[in-house]
C-alpha cells in the first residue's frame, strides 16, 4: 500500500468514526504503529485532522474528505457512471457540472466522445458550465467544448467555487442538463451535500436546468448529508452502479426518478 493509499484509508476511517487510535489503525492497515504516527503527523500538518495523544480526531462532525483523497473510492464504478452519463448528453447541449470525483469522470467521458471530438467545426460541440476548477482545467484544452466557469470563492476540499459571485453568474444562464454529484441521496431528504455553500450553488444548477441527472455510486444512496440541494421531485434521472439494492432503486423509481445502472 502506497503512502497516498494509506492516507486515503486513514481519512476514510476518520470520516466514518470521527477519531482514530494509532494501534487500531496500524492493525487495520497492516502497517507499523510508527508508520501510522508519521502519516497522522503529515496529515495534521496539512490541516486534515487534529492529532491527539495516541491518535487523531476529525475537525468537525460534518467532516468532508478532500477531493484529492477521494479519487480511489469506487473508482471503477465512477468511471462506468461517468461514461453512461456522458452518453445521455446530446451534441450542442449546455451542461452544468458541479464538483466531485464522479462528475469529473463525466467530464472526462464527454471529452473523449467521438461524435464531439471528431467534428467540432460542424457545431456538434458542448457548452459546459461548471463551478469546479479541476473540471474547467481538464476541459479547457478541448476545442470542441466551450467552458463557462462561475466566479466565487474556491473551496480546497472540492475545488468548487461558491458564494454570491457564483450564484450571480448562474442566475443569468439557462442549462439543458445539470449533472450533479452528491454526498447523499434518499427518498425523504432528496439530494444533499456536506457543505451548505456547495449545496446552495448545486441547487442553482438544478433550478437553471431543464433536466437534472444525479451521478452517484451506490455508497451515497439511502444516506443524507448536512445540507439539502434539492428534493427528489427535482431529479429526473439517477445514474448509479449495479450494487444499488433493488428495494432502494424501486423506491427512487416510485418517486418518479428514472434509475440507470452502469
Amino acid at each position: 500500500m502506497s503512502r497516498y493509499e494509506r492516507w486515503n484509508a486513514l481519512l476514510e476511517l476518520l470520516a466514518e468514526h470521527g477519531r482514530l487510535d494509532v494501534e487500531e489503525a496500524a492493525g487495520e492497515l497492516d502497517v507499523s504503529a510508527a508508520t501510522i504516527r508519521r502519516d497522522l503527523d503529515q496529515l495534521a500538518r496539512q490541516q486534515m485532522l487534529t492529532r491527539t495523544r495516541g491518535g487523531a480526531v476529525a475537525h468537525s462532525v460534518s467532516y468532508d474528505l478532500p477531493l484529492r483523497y477521494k479519487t480511489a473510492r469506487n473508482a471503477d464504478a465512477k468511471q462506468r457512471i461517468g461514461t453512461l452519463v456522458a452518453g445521455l448528453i446530446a451534441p450542442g447541449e449546455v451542461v452544468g457540472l458541479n464538483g466531485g470525483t464522479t462528475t469529473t469522470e463525466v467530464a472526462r467521458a464527454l471529452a473523449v466522445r467521438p461524435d464531439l471530438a471528431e467534428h467540432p467545426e460542424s457545431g456538434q460541440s458542448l457548452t459546459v458550465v461548471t463551478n469546479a476548477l479541476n473540471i474547467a482545467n481538464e476541459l479547457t484544452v478541448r476545442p470542441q467544448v466551450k467552458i463557462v466557469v462561475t466566479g466565487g470563492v474556491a473551496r480546497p476540499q472540492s475545488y468548487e467555487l461558491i458564494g454570491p459571485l457564483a450564484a450571480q453568474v448562474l442566475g443569468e444562464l439557462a442549462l439543458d442538463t445539470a449533472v450533479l454529484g452528491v454526498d447523499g441521496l434518499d427518498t425523504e431528504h432528496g439530494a444533499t451535500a456536506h457543505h451548505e455553500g456547495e449545496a446552495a450553488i448545486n441547487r442553482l444548477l438544478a433550478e437553471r436546468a431543464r433536466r437534472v441527472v444525479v451521478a452517484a455510486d451506490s455508497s451515497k444512496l439511502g444516506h443524507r448529508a448536512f445540507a439539502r440541494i434539492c428534493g427528489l421531485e427535482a431529479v429526473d434521472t439517477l445514474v448509479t452502479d449495479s450494487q444499488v439494492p433493488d428495494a432502494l432503486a424501486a423506491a427512487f423509481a416510485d418517486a418518479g426518478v428514472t434509475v440507470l445502472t452502469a
Side-chain angles (χ1 to χ4, degrees):
M1 180 181 289
S2 71
R3 177 179 62 175
Y4 290 105
E5 288 172 331
R6 287 198 314 274
W7 288 3
N8 180 75
L10 288 170
L11 290 168
E12 289 276 2
L13 290 170
L14 191 60
E16 181 177 356
H17 301 294
R19 61 176 56 250
L20 284 177
D21 175 82
V22 167
E23 298 295 337
E24 291 178 359
E28 182 82 19
L29 302 186
D30 195 25
V31 296
S32 70
T35 296
I36 295 297
R37 290 190 190 95
R38 286 194 298 270
D39 287 342
L40 295 180
D41 288 342
Q42 290 170 317
L43 290 170
R45 282 194 290 270
Q46 298 180 54
Q47 299 183 339
M48 299 301 307
L49 49 79
T50 300
R51 284 287 269 126
T52 62
R53 185 178 179 85
V57 295
H59 285 308
S60 69
V61 294
S62 60
Y63 189 73
D64 187 9
L65 194 65
L67 186 68
R68 63 185 179 275
Y69 295 117
K70 291 181 181 178
T71 53
R73 300 176 63 183
N74 305 317
D76 291 341
K78 291 176 180 180
Q79 290 173 2
R80 294 195 303 272
I81 291 168
T83 300
L84 199 160
V85 172
L88 301 177
I89 306 301
E93 280 199 41
V94 179
V95 183
L97 292 175
N98 69 344
T101 52
T102 307
T103 49
T104 298
E105 293 300 335
V106 174
R108 290 169 178 166
L110 285 171
V112 297
R113 276 259 305 263
D115 57 332
L116 301 176
E118 292 177 3
H119 307 290
E121 72 284 350
S122 68
Q124 292 188 329
S125 58
L126 290 177
T127 297
V128 172
V129 178
T130 186
N131 69 323
L133 294 172
N134 66 307
I135 289 176
N137 183 60
E138 291 207 22
L139 293 183
T140 296
V141 298
R142 304 287 181 171
Q144 71 275 21
V145 180
K146 176 182 178 180
I147 289 289
V148 178
V149 183
T150 70
V153 178
R155 290 198 72 231
Q157 288 88 347
S158 63
Y159 308 140
E160 285 191 70
L161 299 168
I162 62 172
L165 289 176
Q168 183 176 357
V169 170
L170 288 174
E172 300 297 322
L173 303 178
L175 311 177
D176 294 305
T177 302
V179 179
L180 301 180
V182 300
D183 293 313
L185 183 74
D186 70 6
T187 54
E188 182 179 356
H189 301 91
T192 51
H194 287 308
H195 190 271
E196 66 279 5
E198 291 181 4
I201 298 305
N202 297 344
R203 185 181 310 117
L204 273 175
L205 281 168
E207 290 174 353
R208 304 304 297 172
R210 288 190 289 193
R211 175 177 62 161
V212 175
V213 177
V214 169
D217 67 78
S218 56
S219 70
K220 307 289 181 63
L221 306 182
H223 302 287
R224 63 170 175 166
F226 172 67
R228 192 170 189 257
I229 297 172
C230 62
L232 205 60
E233 69 279 357
V235 178
D236 298 290
T237 304
L238 165 65
V239 180
T240 186
D241 59 72
S242 58
Q243 299 305 307
V244 58
D246 290 340
L248 192 53
F252 287 130
D254 289 342
V257 177
T258 298
V259 180
L260 304 176
T261 56

